Amino acid sequence: MVTGQASLKRNGVQDYVTTRATALIMTAFSLFMGWYFIATPDITYAIWNNLFSGLAMKVFTFVTLVSIMFHIRIGMWQVLTDYVKAPGLRAFIQFVINLTAFVYVVVGLFVLWGV
Amino acid sequence: MQLNLSVYRYNPDVDDAPRMQDYQLEVAEGQDMMVLDALIALKEKDPTLSFRRSCREGVCGSDGVNMNGKNGLACITPISALKGSKIVVRPLPGLPVVRDLVTDMTQFYTQYEKIKPFLINDDKQPPSREFLQSPEEREKLDGLYECILCACCSSSCPSFWWNPDKFIGPAGLLHAYRFLADSRDTATDERLNGLDDAFSVFRCHGIMNCVSVCPKGLNPTKAIGHIKSMLLKRAV
Ligand code: SF4
Ligand code: SF4
Ligand code: FES
């Protein structure tokens, strides 16, 4: 699926499944963070640092970042093919968006690595 | 009682741009009528006003128009059902205008043709007399076969507005499922192959405008959901 999602030509069934699966992961992460902020009375740097030091949390965060990237890639492709009809301009905007999403993943990886 | 109407007028041969024209119609106090009756009365006063109609009873699907912002059949929409002090009638949105309320439906029919709207059976010669179905098999076609191709749904669907050349649209997809669900049709795989891309079916985002406007009370979104799961099941 990962190679499929990296390709240029889109596949309807695969995109449908991917957007829904990534949406679930993103929802789970948001709910978890929401719960964490409510359940933790006061969050110091040490507690915050400790949260991200476990491997499970690192994986969860990284998977969420990758999910966001795929979700953006597919969702924005759909929006752009609706509203931007000039192929050159659309390719350019799509490229900038995909690159930004990719940079988020890479930067996120470095941040997690450093914890 | 005076009825106030505002009707979209455009004759590409002589007009530079479309305009809205106001009309007043005298009707008996408390009298109700269909929007189509009002349009016919207006046409008697102003014969240049153009619109399509045929059966005038919600069967033929020719008089799909946009009334006070919502698509429907003029012949079965009573003026009493329209809110506001004025009745605003426009052509179906998204389709090219031929003249006034008459639209060019080519895009709509092209999508309909794509789904092969006819029974395909290559098993054997069809039986010489009736081609029987059990009552249960027949029941699966309810809510699908009633479509009159009025285009109210497809022309209210944003996905169809933006990609009328690639997205089949609710009406076409309802018919596609009508044949996918038919026990006598043997071309299921071939039909699904024709729909298996990023646009034909999957441009439907479940906005459900189609369901809210269908004058026959049909549910294209549900049929599209069935097609999506057939495509998904095939892929896993
Ligand atoms: S599904 Fe309903 S709105 Fe759409 S074309 Fe058929 S009858 Fe008209
Ligand atoms: S449910 Fe699908 S087909 Fe119906 S209006 Fe929405 S996007 Fe269009
Ligand atoms: S005139 Fe036939 S559906 Fe309205």
Side-chain angles (χ1 to χ4, degrees):
Chain A
M1 189 186 278
V2 172
T3 41
Q5 286 308 346
S7 81
L8 271 179
K9 198 170 175 311
R10 304 246 57 97
N11 170 317
V13 175
Q14 202 178 71
D15 280 2
Y16 185 82
V17 175
T18 310
T19 38
R20 267 127 198 103
T22 52
L24 278 180
I25 295 169
M26 282 146 54
T27 312
F29 190 81
S30 311
L31 288 178
F32 172 75
M33 288 315 286
W35 171 82
Y36 179 80
F37 282 118
I38 294 168
T40 319
D42 70 335
I43 298 167
T44 61
Y45 178 75
I47 293 175
W48 186 242
N49 197 64
N50 186 43
L51 171 69
F52 286 94
S53 62
L55 183 64
M57 190 58 193
K58 282 190 173 143
V59 171
F60 190 23
T61 311
F62 186 63
V63 167
T64 306
L65 280 171
V66 173
S67 295
I68 294 173
M69 180 177 82
F70 283 144
H71 206 85
I72 288 178
R73 202 177 243 275
I74 300 165
M76 289 311 291
W77 174 78
Q78 292 183 340
V79 173
L80 289 173
T81 44
D82 274 355
Y83 296 105
V84 184
K85 295 298 178 191
L89 180 63
R90 187 172 70 227
F92 173 73
I93 301 175
Q94 183 80 58
F95 175 74
V96 172
I97 289 172
N98 287 350
L99 188 69
T100 315
F102 181 67
V103 166
Y104 269 98
V105 173
V106 174
V107 172
L109 185 63
F110 278 118
V111 172
L112 285 171
W113 197 278
V115 178
Chain B
M1 185 174 73
Q2 201 182 42
L3 211 60
N4 293 311
L5 291 105
S6 168
V7 183
Y8 178 101
R9 301 298 311 269
Y10 183 47
N11 178 353
D13 287 340
V14 294
D15 297 338
D16 292 332
R19 70 204 144 85
M20 295 304 289
Q21 186 170 339
D22 286 334
Y23 290 98
Q24 272 81 38
L25 206 60
E26 265 321 310
V27 293
E29 195 60 41
Q31 185 200 348
D32 202 2
M33 55 162 77
M34 298 298 172
V35 174
L36 181 65
D37 300 326
L39 288 175
I40 291 171
L42 291 185
K43 193 174 170 72
E44 269 162 23
K45 297 206 288 187
D46 176 1
T48 64
L49 176 62
S50 306
F51 51 88
R52 287 197 185 101
R53 56 105 185 82
S54 177
C55 70
R56 54 105 186 96
E57 58 182 7
V59 175
C60 71
S62 3
D63 64 343
V65 287
N66 184 280
M67 296 160 287
N68 284 9
K70 192 174 175 187
N71 292 353
L73 297 173
C75 60
I76 54 168
T77 306
I79 51 175
S80 59
L82 299 172
K83 306 258 178 297
S85 55
K86 210 183 209 180
I87 297 169
V88 184
V89 188
R90 295 171 186 270
L92 289 176
L95 302 174
V97 173
V98 176
R99 178 168 170 166
D100 298 344
L101 302 175
V102 178
T103 51
D104 178 355
M105 309 260 283
T106 313
Q107 289 174 329
F108 178 75
Y109 291 132
T110 306
Q111 295 301 339
Y112 176 59
E113 272 174 44
K114 273 201 212 162
I115 63 104
K116 300 198 172 74
F118 41 82
L119 194 85
I120 303 174
N121 184 296
D122 47 15
D123 267 355
K124 46 190 170 316
Q125 287 290 93
S128 56
R129 301 184 69 179
E130 298 119 303
F131 203 152
L132 291 177
Q133 284 188 299
S134 70
E136 294 73 37
E137 287 168 343
R138 171 59 188 74
E139 214 172 279
K140 295 203 175 112
L141 309 183
D142 287 345
L144 303 170
Y145 78 91
E146 299 94 328
C147 171
I148 56 172
L149 289 172
C150 63
C152 287
C153 55
S154 294
S155 65
S156 71
C157 170
S159 287
F160 189 73
W161 295 341
W162 311 143
N163 291 289
D165 54 333
K166 298 194 198 79
F167 175 49
I168 303 283
L173 290 170
L174 187 90
H175 283 267
Y177 186 61
R178 181 246 169 278
F179 289 100
L180 286 169
D182 195 313
S183 61
R184 300 161 296 183
D185 192 282
T186 54
T188 306
D189 256 326
E190 179 192 331
R191 291 181 188 281
L192 290 176
N193 287 342
L195 297 170
D196 198 356
D197 58 73
F199 281 94
S200 300
V201 179
F202 285 102
R203 263 309 143 123
C204 167
H205 299 306
I207 304 161
M208 287 179 88
N209 278 5
C210 52
V211 181
S212 88
V213 299
C214 177
K216 305 304 272 183
L218 308 178
N219 189 336
T221 311
K222 196 168 148 204
I224 296 169
H226 288 304
I227 301 179
K228 282 180 182 168
S229 28
M230 287 177 96
L231 286 167
L232 285 178
K233 276 196 196 117
R234 217 170 66 129
V236 291

